[in-house]
Amino acid sequence: VYKRQVTAGYPEKRGKQYMPTKVSNAEIFIERYKELEQAVRSEYNISDYDSISFYLGHKTKYKKYQEDIAYCQKIRNFYAHNGKVPDGVNRDFAVEPNDCMIDFITRLIDDIKNRERCIDVAVRLNEVYWCRMSHSVKTAVRIMREKGFTHVPVLEGGRVVGVFDEFSVINCLSDSENGNLEKDLRFSQIKQYISFTTRGQSGYTFVPSKMYAEELREIIDTAYSEGKRIRMAFVTANGKPDETLLGIITPWDLIK
C-alpha cells in the first residue's frame, strides 16, 4: 500500500518527479483495527462502550485467540494514546506491528464479516443416511456398522420423527426374547425406542438454517457444561420439528 508525497503547488509542478512513500505498518494496523471494531459492533450488535477484545475473547469460536486479540488491542491503545515517535527521537526507534499481526487482524475481519450459517456447515440431506418407519432395522444396523454411523435419523414425509442410535439398539436387544434382532423387524415396530414422542429429544435439537454456526456451537458448549450432550442438530427452515429436514450437524462438523 502506498501513498504519494505531494508538495504545495501540485499539479502545477508537473516536471518534478515524486517518489511514492511506503505506508507504515502502524498506519495499516490502525486502519485494520478500526475496520475490525466496526465489523464486530455491526455483526454482533454491541455498543460503542463495549470492548471488542473482551467480547470476542469470551465467545466460544474465538477463545483460543483470546490472548492474541487482547494483545492487538493493547497495541492499538498504545498508538491511540502515544501517537507517533516524539520529535527529537530517532525515527528508527519506532515500534511497529509486524505483518503477522496485520494478517491476523485481516483474517478476523474476514471471518466476522463472512460468518457461516448452519446450512453452510450442515451435511445436506442427500448425503445423509436416513430411514423410514417401513425400513428394516437389521439392514440399518449392518450399514451403521459398515459405515461407522452412530445415529440414523428416521423420517416420514421429509420430517424427522425420531432417531435410531446405540441406545435404541441396546433397548431392542435387551427387550427381545432371544437377544437378537428379528430379520424382518421394521422401525414402525420399535417406535418406543426411536420416536421423539416417547423418548423425547434429549441429545438432539432443531435449528433454523440461517442461524450462525457459532451460535449453535455455543449452545452445544453450554449444554456440555451443564452435563448434557447434544449429539446432533437437525437443520430446518425455521428450526421446527414439523418442517422438512435440510441437513444435519454434529459437534464434529463444527470443529472441522
Side-chain angles (χ1 to χ4, degrees):
V1 181
Y2 292 91
K3 62 181 179 182
R4 184 178 295 280
Q5 187 168 356
V6 182
T7 59
Y10 183 84
E12 285 75 15
K13 296 184 178 181
R14 297 183 184 275
K16 187 173 181 179
Q17 296 295 318
Y18 296 97
M19 296 297 294
T21 303
K22 187 177 184 300
V23 176
S24 70
N25 270 15
E27 293 173 286
I28 297 173
F29 176 83
I30 292 299
E31 288 303 313
R32 289 282 196 281
Y33 198 91
K34 286 180 181 178
E35 189 177 349
L36 175 64
E37 285 185 314
Q38 293 170 355
V40 173
R41 299 193 193 288
S42 173
E43 290 293 326
Y44 294 107
N45 195 30
I46 65 172
S47 74
D48 293 340
Y49 303 100
D50 293 322
S51 166
I52 66 165
S53 172
F54 180 84
Y55 183 82
L56 290 179
H58 286 77
K59 288 188 69 66
T60 299
K61 183 177 181 179
Y62 300 108
K63 272 186 178 179
K64 61 182 177 180
Y65 305 120
Q66 186 174 17
E67 296 301 324
D68 291 335
I69 294 171
Y71 184 74
C72 286
Q73 185 172 44
K74 289 180 180 179
I75 299 301
R76 177 265 177 194
N77 291 341
F78 170 80
Y79 279 102
H81 299 307
N82 295 281
K84 300 178 180 180
V85 177
D87 292 337
V89 176
N90 189 328
R91 295 292 174 181
D92 292 334
F93 288 0
V95 178
E96 288 192 345
N98 61 20
D99 292 342
C100 183
M101 288 182 68
I102 293 173
D103 289 342
F104 173 70
I105 294 293
T106 302
R107 289 196 305 271
L108 268 182
I109 294 169
D110 182 66
D111 194 57
I112 290 168
K113 286 184 174 181
N114 299 285
R115 289 189 289 165
E116 289 182 313
R117 298 184 184 271
C118 285
I119 195 62
D120 298 324
V121 301
V123 178
R124 298 303 181 97
L125 185 58
N126 61 348
E127 299 177 354
V128 173
Y129 174 63
W130 57 274
C131 293
R132 291 190 177 92
M133 282 292 189
S134 58
H135 285 173
S136 165
V137 175
K138 202 160 187 175
T139 299
V141 171
R142 176 179 57 79
I143 293 175
M144 290 172 70
R145 185 176 64 247
E146 292 174 353
K147 302 292 185 180
F149 298 146
T150 56
H151 309 78
V152 176
V154 180
L155 276 59
E156 284 297 309
R159 297 177 295 106
V160 182
V161 294
V163 174
F164 185 65
D165 54 22
E166 64 268 27
F167 299 109
S168 307
V169 176
I170 292 171
N171 289 329
C172 282
L173 292 175
S174 63
D175 285 354
S176 66
E177 293 183 0
N178 56 9
N180 294 314
L181 295 177
E182 297 177 17
K183 183 177 180 180
D184 296 326
L185 186 66
R186 304 292 164 176
F187 284 107
S188 58
Q189 297 173 265
I190 58 168
K191 278 185 179 181
Q192 67 272 32
Y193 304 131
I194 63 175
S195 174
F196 289 146
T197 303
T198 55
R199 63 176 280 178
Q201 293 182 16
S202 178
Y204 303 97
T205 187
F206 286 82
V207 296
S209 60
K210 292 186 178 180
M211 173 188 279
Y212 288 114
E214 65 188 74
E215 293 178 325
L216 173 58
R217 184 169 180 174
E218 289 180 358
I219 291 172
I220 292 175
D221 285 350
T222 299
Y224 185 80
S225 67
E226 296 174 352
K228 304 172 185 177
R229 181 184 173 192
I230 296 178
R231 299 176 177 85
M232 185 178 291
F234 300 111
V235 182
T236 63
N238 300 293
K240 297 180 180 180
D242 60 354
E243 297 177 315
T244 301
L245 180 66
L246 302 177
I248 62 171
I249 301 175
T250 65
W252 177 244
D253 295 319
L254 295 175
I255 293 173
K256 288 192 294 184

